Amino acid sequence: CVRSNSNRAAISHLHRQIYGRLYPVLLVNTDGSTVRLRYKEPKRILMLPLDSSTLPEAERKARLRRQFPGKPKAKEEETFKGIDLDTYRQFWKK
């Protein structure tokens, strides 16, 4: 037996797929312009995806490089061949 009254919503969250009202949302277009509209879910900002086919080739490659960075380069290990150890002898004595 499922109770369908106001006390059910106070005990747990509402189990609904569609919200009963529309919420004000800021829509950001690909060119940077913004439009306020009403959306079915409570969100602050919606961003439209950028169409990469309209971009110049150089900017498209730069965006792809930022999106998928390469593997990190291995750092060279430090060697003690070039260090004069006599300069640090004062720290060895107790």
Coordinates of all heavy atoms in Angstrom, one line a residue:
C1 N 0.9 -1.2 0.0 CA 0.0 0.0 0.0 C 0.9 1.2 0.0 O 1.8 1.4 0.9 CB -0.9 0.0 1.2 SG -1.9 1.4 1.3
V2 N 0.8 2.1 -1.0 CA 1.5 3.3 -1.1 C 0.7 4.5 -0.7 O -0.4 4.7 -1.3 CB 2.1 3.5 -2.5 CG1 2.9 4.8 -2.6 CG2 3.0 2.3 -2.9
R3 N 1.2 5.3 0.2 CA 0.4 6.5 0.6 C 0.8 7.6 -0.4 O 1.9 7.9 -0.6 CB 0.8 6.9 2.0 CG 0.3 5.9 3.0 CD 0.6 6.5 4.4 NE 0.0 5.6 5.4 CZ 0.1 5.8 6.7 NH1 0.8 6.9 7.1 NH2 -0.4 5.0 7.5
S4 N -0.2 8.2 -0.9 CA 0.0 9.3 -1.8 C -0.6 10.6 -1.2 O -1.6 11.1 -1.6 CB -0.7 9.1 -3.2 OG -0.2 7.9 -3.8
N5 N 0.1 11.1 -0.2 CA -0.4 12.3 0.5 C 0.9 13.2 0.7 O 2.0 12.9 0.3 CB -1.1 12.0 1.8 CG -0.3 11.2 2.7 OD1 0.9 11.1 2.6 ND2 -1.0 10.6 3.7
S6 N 0.7 14.3 1.4 CA 1.8 15.2 1.7 C 2.8 14.7 2.6 O 4.0 15.2 2.6 CB 1.2 16.5 2.2 OG 0.6 16.3 3.5
N7 N 2.5 13.7 3.5 CA 3.5 13.2 4.4 C 4.6 12.4 3.7 O 5.7 12.2 4.2 CB 2.8 12.4 5.5 CG 1.9 13.2 6.3 OD1 2.2 14.4 6.5 ND2 0.9 12.6 6.8
R8 N 4.3 11.8 2.6 CA 5.2 11.0 1.8 C 6.4 11.8 1.3 O 7.6 11.4 1.4 CB 4.5 10.3 0.7 CG 5.5 9.4 -0.1 CD 4.7 8.6 -1.2 NE 5.6 7.8 -1.9 CZ 6.0 8.1 -3.2 NH1 5.5 9.2 -3.8 NH2 6.8 7.3 -3.8
A9 N 6.2 13.0 0.9 CA 7.2 13.9 0.4 C 8.1 14.4 1.5 O 9.3 14.7 1.3 CB 6.6 15.1 -0.4
A10 N 7.6 14.5 2.7 CA 8.4 15.0 3.9 C 9.3 13.9 4.3 O 10.4 14.2 4.9 CB 7.4 15.4 5.0
I11 N 9.0 12.6 4.1 CA 9.9 11.5 4.6 C 11.0 11.3 3.7 O 12.2 11.1 4.1 CB 9.1 10.3 4.8 CG1 8.0 10.5 5.9 CG2 9.9 9.1 5.1 CD1 7.0 9.3 6.0
S12 N 10.8 11.3 2.4 CA 11.9 11.1 1.4 C 11.7 12.1 0.3 O 10.8 12.9 0.2 CB 11.9 9.7 0.9 OG 10.7 9.5 0.2
H13 N 12.6 12.0 -0.7 CA 12.6 12.9 -1.9 C 11.4 12.4 -2.8 O 11.0 11.3 -2.8 CB 13.9 12.9 -2.6 CG 14.2 11.6 -3.3 ND1 14.7 10.6 -2.6 CD2 14.1 11.3 -4.6 CE1 14.9 9.6 -3.5 NE2 14.6 10.0 -4.7
L14 N 11.0 13.3 -3.7 CA 10.0 13.0 -4.6 C 10.6 12.2 -5.8 O 11.6 12.5 -6.3 CB 9.4 14.3 -5.2 CG 8.6 15.1 -4.3 CD1 8.1 16.4 -5.0 CD2 7.4 14.4 -3.8
H15 N 9.9 11.1 -6.1 CA 10.3 10.2 -7.2 C 9.6 10.6 -8.5 O 8.7 10.0 -8.9 CB 10.0 8.7 -6.8 CG 10.6 8.3 -5.5 ND1 11.9 8.0 -5.4 CD2 10.1 8.2 -4.3 CE1 12.2 7.6 -4.2 NE2 11.1 7.8 -3.4
R16 N 10.1 11.6 -9.1 CA 9.5 12.1 -10.3 C 10.5 12.2 -11.4 O 11.7 12.6 -11.2 CB 8.7 13.4 -10.1 CG 9.5 14.5 -9.6 CD 8.8 15.8 -9.7 NE 7.8 15.9 -8.6 CZ 7.4 17.1 -8.2 NH1 7.8 18.2 -8.7 NH2 6.5 17.2 -7.2
Q17 N 10.1 11.9 -12.6 CA 11.0 12.0 -13.8 C 11.0 13.4 -14.4 O 11.9 13.9 -14.9 CB 10.6 10.9 -14.8 CG 10.7 9.5 -14.4 CD 12.1 9.1 -14.1 OE1 13.0 9.5 -14.8 NE2 12.4 8.3 -13.1
I18 N 9.8 14.0 -14.3 CA 9.6 15.3 -14.9 C 9.3 16.3 -13.8 O 8.4 16.0 -13.0 CB 8.5 15.3 -16.0 CG1 8.9 14.3 -17.1 CG2 8.3 16.7 -16.6 CD1 7.8 14.1 -18.1
Y19 N 9.9 17.5 -13.8 CA 9.6 18.5 -12.8 C 8.3 19.2 -13.2 O 8.0 19.3 -14.4 CB 10.8 19.5 -12.7 CG 12.0 18.9 -12.0 CD1 13.0 18.3 -12.8 CD2 12.1 19.0 -10.7 CE1 14.1 17.8 -12.2 CE2 13.2 18.4 -10.0 CZ 14.2 17.9 -10.8 OH 15.3 17.3 -10.2
G20 N 7.6 19.7 -12.2 CA 6.3 20.3 -12.4 C 6.4 21.7 -12.9 O 5.3 22.3 -13.3
R21 N 7.5 22.3 -12.9 CA 7.6 23.7 -13.4 C 8.9 23.9 -14.2 O 9.7 23.0 -14.3 CB 7.7 24.6 -12.2 CG 8.8 24.4 -11.2 CD 8.8 25.4 -10.1 NE 9.3 26.6 -10.6 CZ 10.2 27.4 -10.0 NH1 10.8 27.0 -8.9 NH2 10.5 28.5 -10.5
L22 N 9.0 25.1 -14.8 CA 10.2 25.4 -15.6 C 11.1 26.4 -14.8 O 10.6 27.2 -14.1 CB 9.8 26.0 -16.9 CG 9.0 25.1 -17.8 CD1 8.6 25.8 -19.1 CD2 9.8 23.8 -18.2
Y23 N 12.4 26.2 -14.9 CA 13.3 27.0 -14.1 C 14.1 27.9 -15.0 O 14.5 27.6 -16.1 CB 14.3 26.0 -13.4 CG 13.6 25.1 -12.4 CD1 13.1 23.9 -12.8 CD2 13.4 25.5 -11.1 CE1 12.5 23.1 -11.9 CE2 12.8 24.7 -10.2 CZ 12.3 23.5 -10.6 OH 11.7 22.6 -9.7
P24 N 14.5 29.1 -14.5 CA 15.3 30.1 -15.3 C 16.7 29.6 -15.4 O 17.3 29.2 -14.4 CB 15.2 31.4 -14.5 CG 14.8 31.0 -13.1 CD 14.0 29.7 -13.2
V25 N 17.2 29.5 -16.6 CA 18.5 29.0 -16.9 C 19.2 30.0 -17.9 O 18.6 30.6 -18.7 CB 18.5 27.6 -17.5 CG1 19.8 27.1 -18.0 CG2 17.9 26.6 -16.6
L26 N 20.6 30.1 -17.8 CA 21.4 30.9 -18.7 C 22.0 30.0 -19.7 O 22.7 29.1 -19.4 CB 22.5 31.6 -17.9 CG 23.3 32.6 -18.7 CD1 22.5 33.8 -19.0 CD2 24.5 33.1 -17.8
L27 N 21.6 30.3 -21.0 CA 22.1 29.5 -22.1 C 23.3 30.2 -22.8 O 23.1 31.4 -23.1 CB 21.0 29.2 -23.1 CG 21.4 28.5 -24.4 CD1 21.7 27.0 -24.1 CD2 20.4 28.6 -25.5
V28 N 24.4 29.6 -22.9 CA 25.6 30.2 -23.5 C 25.8 29.6 -24.9 O 26.0 28.4 -25.0 CB 26.9 30.0 -22.6 CG1 28.1 30.6 -23.2 CG2 26.6 30.5 -21.2
N29 N 25.8 30.5 -25.9 CA 26.0 30.0 -27.3 C 27.5 29.8 -27.5 O 28.3 30.2 -26.8 CB 25.4 31.0 -28.3 CG 23.9 31.0 -28.2 OD1 23.2 30.0 -28.0 ND2 23.3 32.2 -28.3
T30 N 27.8 29.2 -28.7 CA 29.2 29.0 -29.0 C 29.9 30.3 -29.3 O 31.2 30.3 -29.1 CB 29.2 28.1 -30.3 OG1 28.5 28.7 -31.3 CG2 28.7 26.7 -30.0
D31 N 29.3 31.3 -29.7 CA 30.0 32.6 -30.0 C 30.1 33.4 -28.7 O 30.7 34.5 -28.7 CB 29.2 33.4 -31.0 CG 27.8 33.7 -30.7 OD1 27.3 33.2 -29.6 OD2 27.2 34.5 -31.4
G32 N 29.6 33.0 -27.6 CA 29.8 33.7 -26.3 C 28.6 34.5 -25.9 O 28.5 35.0 -24.8
S33 N 27.6 34.6 -26.8 CA 26.4 35.3 -26.4 C 25.5 34.5 -25.4 O 25.6 33.3 -25.4 CB 25.6 35.7 -27.6 OG 25.2 34.5 -28.3
T34 N 24.8 35.2 -24.6 CA 24.0 34.5 -23.6 C 22.5 34.8 -23.8 O 22.1 35.9 -24.2 CB 24.4 34.9 -22.2 OG1 24.2 36.3 -22.0 CG2 25.8 34.5 -21.9
V35 N 21.6 33.8 -23.4 CA 20.2 34.0 -23.5 C 19.6 33.4 -22.2 O 20.0 32.3 -21.8 CB 19.6 33.3 -24.7 CG1 18.1 33.4 -24.8 CG2 20.3 33.8 -26.0
R36 N 18.7 34.1 -21.6 CA 17.9 33.5 -20.5 C 16.7 32.8 -21.0 O 15.9 33.4 -21.8 CB 17.5 34.6 -19.5 CG 18.7 35.2 -18.8 CD 18.3 35.7 -17.4 NE 19.4 36.1 -16.7 CZ 20.1 35.4 -15.8 NH1 19.6 34.2 -15.5 NH2 21.1 35.8 -15.2
L37 N 16.5 31.6 -20.6 CA 15.3 30.8 -21.0 C 14.9 30.0 -19.8 O 15.5 29.9 -18.8 CB 15.6 29.9 -22.2 CG 16.8 29.0 -22.1 CD1 16.4 27.6 -21.7 CD2 17.4 28.9 -23.5
R38 N 13.7 29.3 -20.0 CA 13.2 28.4 -19.0 C 13.4 27.0 -19.4 O 13.2 26.6 -20.5 CB 11.7 28.7 -18.8 CG 11.5 30.2 -18.6 CD 10.4 30.7 -17.9 NE 9.8 30.0 -16.8 CZ 10.1 30.2 -15.5 NH1 11.0 31.2 -15.2 NH2 9.5 29.6 -14.6
Y39 N 14.0 26.2 -18.4 CA 14.4 24.8 -18.7 C 13.7 23.9 -17.7 O 13.3 24.3 -16.6 CB 15.9 24.7 -18.5 CG 16.5 23.4 -19.1 CD1 16.4 23.1 -20.4 CD2 17.1 22.5 -18.2 CE1 16.9 21.9 -20.9 CE2 17.7 21.4 -18.7 CZ 17.6 21.1 -20.0 OH 18.1 19.9 -20.5
K40 N 13.5 22.6 -18.1 CA 12.8 21.7 -17.2 C 13.5 21.2 -16.0 O 12.9 20.8 -15.0 CB 12.4 20.5 -18.1 CG 13.6 19.7 -18.6 CD 13.2 18.6 -19.5 CE 14.5 18.0 -20.1 NZ 14.1 16.9 -21.0
E41 N 14.8 21.4 -15.9 CA 15.6 21.0 -14.7 C 16.2 22.2 -14.1 O 16.6 23.1 -14.8 CB 16.7 20.0 -15.1 CG 16.2 18.7 -15.6 CD 17.3 17.7 -16.0 OE1 18.4 18.0 -15.7 OE2 16.9 16.7 -16.7
P42 N 16.4 22.2 -12.8 CA 17.0 23.4 -12.1 C 18.5 23.4 -12.3 O 19.3 22.7 -11.6 CB 16.6 23.2 -10.7 CG 16.4 21.8 -10.5 CD 15.9 21.3 -11.8
K43 N 19.0 24.1 -13.3 CA 20.4 24.3 -13.5 C 20.8 25.8 -13.6 O 19.9 26.6 -13.8 CB 20.8 23.6 -14.9 CG 20.6 22.1 -14.9 CD 21.2 21.5 -16.1 CE 21.1 20.0 -16.1 NZ 21.8 19.4 -17.2
R44 N 22.0 26.1 -13.5 CA 22.4 27.5 -13.6 C 22.8 27.9 -15.0 O 22.3 28.9 -15.5 CB 23.6 27.8 -12.6 CG 23.3 27.8 -11.2 CD 24.5 28.1 -10.4 NE 24.2 27.9 -9.0 CZ 24.0 28.9 -8.2 NH1 23.9 30.1 -8.6 NH2 23.7 28.7 -6.9
I45 N 23.7 27.1 -15.6 CA 24.2 27.4 -17.0 C 24.1 26.2 -17.9 O 24.4 25.1 -17.4 CB 25.6 27.9 -16.9 CG1 25.7 29.2 -16.1 CG2 26.2 28.1 -18.3 CD1 27.1 29.7 -15.9
L46 N 23.7 26.4 -19.1 CA 23.7 25.4 -20.1 C 24.7 25.9 -21.2 O 24.5 27.1 -21.6 CB 22.4 25.1 -20.8 CG 21.4 24.3 -20.0 CD1 20.1 24.2 -20.7 CD2 21.9 22.9 -19.8
M47 N 25.6 25.1 -21.7 CA 26.5 25.5 -22.7 C 26.3 24.7 -23.9 O 26.2 23.4 -23.8 CB 28.0 25.4 -22.3 CG 28.3 26.4 -21.1 SD 30.0 26.3 -20.6 CE 30.8 27.0 -22.1
L48 N 26.1 25.3 -25.1 CA 26.0 24.6 -26.3 C 27.4 24.1 -26.8 O 28.4 24.8 -26.6 CB 25.4 25.4 -27.4 CG 23.9 25.9 -27.2 CD1 23.5 26.8 -28.3 CD2 23.0 24.6 -27.1
P49 N 27.5 22.9 -27.4 CA 28.8 22.4 -27.8 C 29.2 23.1 -29.0 O 28.5 23.6 -29.9 CB 28.5 20.9 -28.2 CG 27.0 20.8 -28.4 CD 26.4 21.9 -27.5
L50 N 30.6 23.2 -29.2 CA 31.2 24.0 -30.3 C 31.3 23.0 -31.5 O 31.8 21.9 -31.3 CB 32.5 24.5 -29.8 CG 33.3 25.3 -30.8 CD1 32.6 26.6 -31.1 CD2 34.7 25.6 -30.3
D51 N 30.9 23.5 -32.6 CA 31.1 22.7 -33.8 C 32.5 22.9 -34.4 O 32.9 24.0 -34.8 CB 30.0 23.2 -34.9 CG 30.0 22.3 -36.1 OD1 30.6 21.2 -36.1 OD2 29.5 22.7 -37.1
S52 N 33.3 21.9 -34.3 CA 34.7 22.0 -34.7 C 34.9 22.1 -36.2 O 36.0 22.5 -36.7 CB 35.5 20.8 -34.2 OG 35.0 19.6 -34.7
S53 N 33.9 21.7 -37.0 CA 34.0 21.8 -38.4 C 34.0 23.3 -38.9 O 34.5 23.5 -40.0 CB 32.9 21.0 -39.1 OG 31.7 21.6 -38.8
T54 N 33.5 24.2 -38.2 CA 33.5 25.6 -38.6 C 34.7 26.4 -38.2 O 34.9 27.5 -38.6 CB 32.3 26.3 -38.0 OG1 32.3 26.2 -36.5 CG2 31.0 25.7 -38.4
L55 N 35.6 25.8 -37.3 CA 36.8 26.5 -36.9 C 37.9 26.4 -37.9 O 38.0 25.5 -38.7 CB 37.3 25.8 -35.6 CG 36.4 25.9 -34.4 CD1 37.0 25.1 -33.2 CD2 36.3 27.4 -34.0
P56 N 38.8 27.4 -37.9 CA 40.0 27.2 -38.7 C 40.9 26.1 -38.3 O 40.8 25.6 -37.2 CB 40.8 28.6 -38.5 CG 39.9 29.4 -37.7 CD 38.8 28.6 -37.2
E57 N 41.7 25.6 -39.2 CA 42.5 24.4 -38.9 C 43.5 24.5 -37.7 O 43.6 23.6 -36.9 CB 43.3 24.0 -40.2 CG 44.0 22.7 -40.1 CD 43.1 21.5 -40.1 OE1 42.0 21.6 -40.6 OE2 43.5 20.5 -39.6
A58 N 44.1 25.7 -37.6 CA 45.0 25.9 -36.5 C 44.3 25.9 -35.1 O 44.8 25.3 -34.2 CB 45.8 27.2 -36.7
E59 N 43.2 26.6 -35.1 CA 42.5 26.6 -33.8 C 41.9 25.2 -33.5 O 41.8 24.9 -32.3 CB 41.3 27.7 -33.9 CG 40.7 27.9 -32.6 CD 39.7 29.1 -32.7 OE1 39.7 29.8 -33.6 OE2 38.9 29.2 -31.7
R60 N 41.4 24.5 -34.4 CA 40.9 23.2 -34.2 C 41.9 22.2 -33.6 O 41.7 21.5 -32.7 CB 40.3 22.6 -35.5 CG 39.6 21.3 -35.3 CD 38.9 20.8 -36.6 NE 39.9 20.5 -37.6 CZ 40.6 19.3 -37.7 NH1 40.4 18.4 -36.8 NH2 41.5 19.1 -38.6
K61 N 43.2 22.3 -34.2 CA 44.3 21.5 -33.7 C 44.7 21.9 -32.3 O 45.0 21.0 -31.4 CB 45.5 21.5 -34.6 CG 45.3 20.7 -35.9 CD 46.5 20.7 -36.7 CE 46.3 19.9 -38.0 NZ 47.5 19.8 -38.8
A62 N 44.6 23.2 -32.0 CA 45.0 23.7 -30.7 C 44.0 23.2 -29.6 O 44.3 22.8 -28.5 CB 45.1 25.2 -30.6
R63 N 42.7 23.2 -30.0 CA 41.6 22.7 -29.1 C 41.8 21.2 -28.8 O 41.6 20.7 -27.7 CB 40.3 23.0 -29.7 CG 39.8 24.4 -29.5 CD 38.4 24.6 -30.0 NE 37.9 25.9 -29.7 CZ 37.3 26.2 -28.6 NH1 37.0 25.3 -27.7 NH2 36.9 27.4 -28.4
L64 N 42.1 20.4 -29.9 CA 42.3 19.0 -29.7 C 43.5 18.7 -28.8 O 43.5 17.8 -28.0 CB 42.5 18.3 -31.1 CG 41.2 18.2 -31.9 CD1 41.6 17.6 -33.3 CD2 40.3 17.2 -31.2
R65 N 44.6 19.5 -28.9 CA 45.8 19.3 -28.1 C 45.5 19.6 -26.6 O 46.0 19.0 -25.7 CB 46.9 20.2 -28.5 CG 47.9 19.5 -29.5 CD 49.1 20.4 -29.8 NE 48.8 21.0 -31.1 CZ 48.8 22.3 -31.3 NH1 49.0 23.2 -30.3 NH2 48.5 22.8 -32.5
R66 N 44.6 20.7 -26.4 CA 44.2 21.0 -25.0 C 43.3 19.9 -24.4 O 43.4 19.5 -23.3 CB 43.5 22.3 -24.9 CG 44.4 23.5 -24.9 CD 43.7 24.7 -24.6 NE 42.6 24.9 -25.5 CZ 42.4 25.9 -26.3 NH1 43.3 26.8 -26.4 NH2 41.4 26.0 -27.1
Q67 N 42.5 19.3 -25.3 CA 41.5 18.3 -24.8 C 42.2 17.0 -24.6 O 41.8 16.3 -23.6 CB 40.4 18.2 -25.9 CG 39.2 17.3 -25.4 CD 38.1 17.3 -26.4 OE1 38.2 17.9 -27.5 NE2 37.0 16.6 -26.1
F68 N 43.1 16.6 -25.4 CA 43.8 15.3 -25.3 C 45.3 15.6 -25.2 O 46.0 15.5 -26.2 CB 43.5 14.4 -26.5 CG 42.1 14.1 -26.7 CD1 41.4 14.7 -27.8 CD2 41.4 13.3 -25.8 CE1 40.1 14.4 -28.0 CE2 40.0 13.1 -26.0 CZ 39.4 13.6 -27.1
P69 N 45.8 15.9 -24.0 CA 47.2 16.2 -23.8 C 48.1 14.9 -24.0 O 47.6 13.8 -23.8 CB 47.4 16.8 -22.4 CG 46.2 16.2 -21.7 CD 45.1 16.1 -22.7
G70 N 49.3 15.1 -24.4 CA 50.2 14.0 -24.7 C 50.7 13.4 -23.4 O 50.3 13.8 -22.3
K71 N 51.5 12.3 -23.5 CA 52.0 11.7 -22.3 C 53.1 12.6 -21.6 O 53.8 13.3 -22.3 CB 52.7 10.3 -22.7 CG 51.7 9.3 -23.3 CD 52.4 8.1 -23.7 CE 51.5 7.1 -24.3 NZ 52.1 5.9 -24.8
P72 N 53.1 12.5 -20.3 CA 54.1 13.3 -19.7 C 55.6 12.9 -20.0 O 55.8 11.7 -20.1 CB 53.8 13.2 -18.2 CG 53.0 11.9 -18.1 CD 52.3 11.8 -19.4
K73 N 56.4 13.8 -20.2 CA 57.8 13.5 -20.5 C 58.6 13.0 -19.3 O 58.4 13.5 -18.2 CB 58.5 14.7 -21.1 CG 57.9 15.1 -22.4 CD 58.6 16.3 -23.0 CE 58.0 16.8 -24.3 NZ 58.6 18.0 -24.8
A74 N 59.4 12.1 -19.5 CA 60.2 11.5 -18.4 C 61.3 12.5 -18.0 O 62.0 13.1 -18.9 CB 60.9 10.2 -18.8
K75 N 61.5 12.8 -16.7 CA 62.5 13.8 -16.3 C 63.8 13.0 -16.1 O 63.9 11.9 -15.8 CB 62.1 14.4 -14.9 CG 60.8 15.2 -15.0 CD 60.5 15.8 -13.7 CE 59.3 16.6 -13.8 NZ 58.9 17.2 -12.4
E76 N 64.9 13.8 -16.4 CA 66.2 13.2 -16.2 C 66.6 13.2 -14.8 O 66.2 14.1 -14.0 CB 67.2 14.1 -17.0 CG 67.0 14.1 -18.5 CD 68.1 15.0 -19.1 OE1 69.1 15.4 -18.5 OE2 67.9 15.3 -20.3
E77 N 67.2 12.1 -14.4 CA 67.6 11.9 -13.0 C 68.8 12.8 -12.7 O 69.7 13.0 -13.5 CB 68.0 10.5 -12.7 CG 66.8 9.6 -12.8 CD 67.1 8.1 -12.4 OE1 68.2 7.9 -11.9 OE2 66.4 7.2 -12.7
E78 N 68.9 13.3 -11.5 CA 70.0 14.2 -11.1 C 71.2 13.3 -10.8 O 71.1 12.2 -10.2 CB 69.6 15.0 -9.8 CG 68.6 16.0 -10.1 CD 68.4 16.9 -8.9 OE1 69.3 16.9 -8.0 OE2 67.4 17.5 -8.8
T79 N 72.3 13.7 -11.2 CA 73.6 13.0 -10.9 C 74.4 13.9 -10.0 O 74.4 15.1 -10.1 CB 74.3 12.7 -12.2 OG1 74.6 13.9 -12.9 CG2 73.5 11.7 -13.1
F80 N 75.3 13.3 -9.2 CA 76.1 14.0 -8.3 C 77.5 14.2 -8.9 O 78.5 14.5 -8.1 CB 76.2 13.3 -7.0 CG 74.8 13.3 -6.3 CD1 74.1 12.1 -6.2 CD2 74.3 14.4 -5.7 CE1 72.9 12.1 -5.6 CE2 73.1 14.4 -5.1 CZ 72.4 13.2 -5.0
K81 N 77.7 14.0 -10.1 CA 79.1 14.1 -10.7 C 79.6 15.5 -10.8 O 80.8 15.8 -10.6 CB 79.1 13.5 -12.1 CG 78.9 12.0 -12.2 CD 78.8 11.5 -13.6 CE 78.5 10.0 -13.6 NZ 78.4 9.4 -14.9
G82 N 78.7 16.5 -11.0 CA 79.1 17.9 -11.2 C 79.1 18.6 -9.9 O 79.4 19.8 -9.9
I83 N 78.8 18.0 -8.7 CA 78.7 18.7 -7.5 C 80.0 18.5 -6.7 O 80.5 17.4 -6.5 CB 77.5 18.2 -6.6 CG1 76.2 18.5 -7.4 CG2 77.5 18.8 -5.3 CD1 75.0 17.9 -6.8
D84 N 80.5 19.6 -6.1 CA 81.7 19.6 -5.3 C 81.3 19.3 -3.8 O 80.6 20.1 -3.2 CB 82.5 20.9 -5.3 CG 83.8 20.9 -4.5 OD1 84.3 19.8 -4.3 OD2 84.2 21.9 -4.2
L85 N 81.5 18.1 -3.3 CA 81.1 17.7 -2.0 C 81.8 18.4 -0.9 O 81.3 18.4 0.3 CB 81.2 16.2 -1.9 CG 80.3 15.3 -2.9 CD1 80.6 13.9 -2.7 CD2 78.9 15.6 -2.7
D86 N 83.0 19.0 -1.1 CA 83.7 19.7 -0.1 C 82.9 20.9 0.4 O 83.1 21.4 1.5 CB 85.1 20.0 -0.5 CG 86.0 18.8 -0.7 OD1 85.7 17.8 0.0 OD2 86.9 18.8 -1.5
T87 N 82.1 21.5 -0.4 CA 81.4 22.7 0.0 C 80.3 22.3 1.0 O 79.9 23.2 1.8 CB 80.7 23.3 -1.2 OG1 79.9 22.4 -1.9 CG2 81.8 23.8 -2.2
Y88 N 79.9 21.1 1.1 CA 78.9 20.7 2.0 C 79.5 19.9 3.2 O 78.7 19.3 4.0 CB 77.8 19.8 1.3 CG 77.2 20.5 0.2 CD1 77.5 20.3 -1.1 CD2 76.2 21.5 0.5 CE1 76.9 20.9 -2.2 CE2 75.6 22.2 -0.6 CZ 75.9 21.9 -1.9 OH 75.3 22.6 -2.9
R89 N 80.8 19.9 3.4 CA 81.4 19.1 4.4 C 81.0 19.7 5.8 O 81.0 18.9 6.8 CB 82.9 19.2 4.2 CG 83.7 18.3 5.2 CD 85.2 18.2 4.9 NE 85.5 17.7 3.6 CZ 85.5 16.4 3.2 NH1 85.3 15.5 4.2 NH2 85.8 16.1 2.0
Q90 N 80.8 21.0 5.9 CA 80.4 21.6 7.2 C 79.1 21.0 7.8 O 78.9 21.0 9.0 CB 80.3 23.1 7.0 CG 79.2 23.4 6.1 CD 79.1 24.9 5.8 OE1 79.8 25.7 6.5 NE2 78.3 25.3 4.8
F91 N 78.3 20.5 6.9 CA 77.0 19.9 7.4 C 77.1 18.5 7.8 O 76.2 17.9 8.4 CB 75.9 20.0 6.3 CG 75.7 21.4 5.9 CD1 76.0 21.9 4.6 CD2 75.1 22.4 6.8 CE1 75.7 23.2 4.2 CE2 74.8 23.7 6.4 CZ 75.2 24.1 5.1
W92 N 78.2 17.8 7.5 CA 78.4 16.4 7.8 C 78.9 16.2 9.2 O 78.7 15.2 9.9 CB 79.4 15.7 6.9 CG 78.9 15.7 5.5 CD1 77.7 15.9 5.0 CD2 79.7 15.4 4.3 NE1 77.6 15.7 3.7 CE2 78.8 15.5 3.2 CE3 81.1 15.2 4.1 CZ2 79.3 15.3 1.9 CZ3 81.5 15.0 2.8 CH2 80.6 15.0 1.7
K93 N 79.7 17.2 9.7 CA 80.3 17.1 11.1 C 79.2 17.2 12.1 O 78.2 18.0 12.0 CB 81.3 18.2 11.3 CG 82.5 18.0 10.4 CD 83.5 19.1 10.6 CE 84.6 19.0 9.6 NZ 85.6 20.1 9.8
K94 N 79.4 16.4 13.2 CA 78.4 16.5 14.3 C 79.0 17.3 15.5 O 80.1 17.4 15.7 CB 78.1 15.1 14.8 CG 77.3 14.3 13.8 CD 76.9 13.0 14.4 CE 76.0 12.2 13.5 NZ 75.5 11.0 14.0

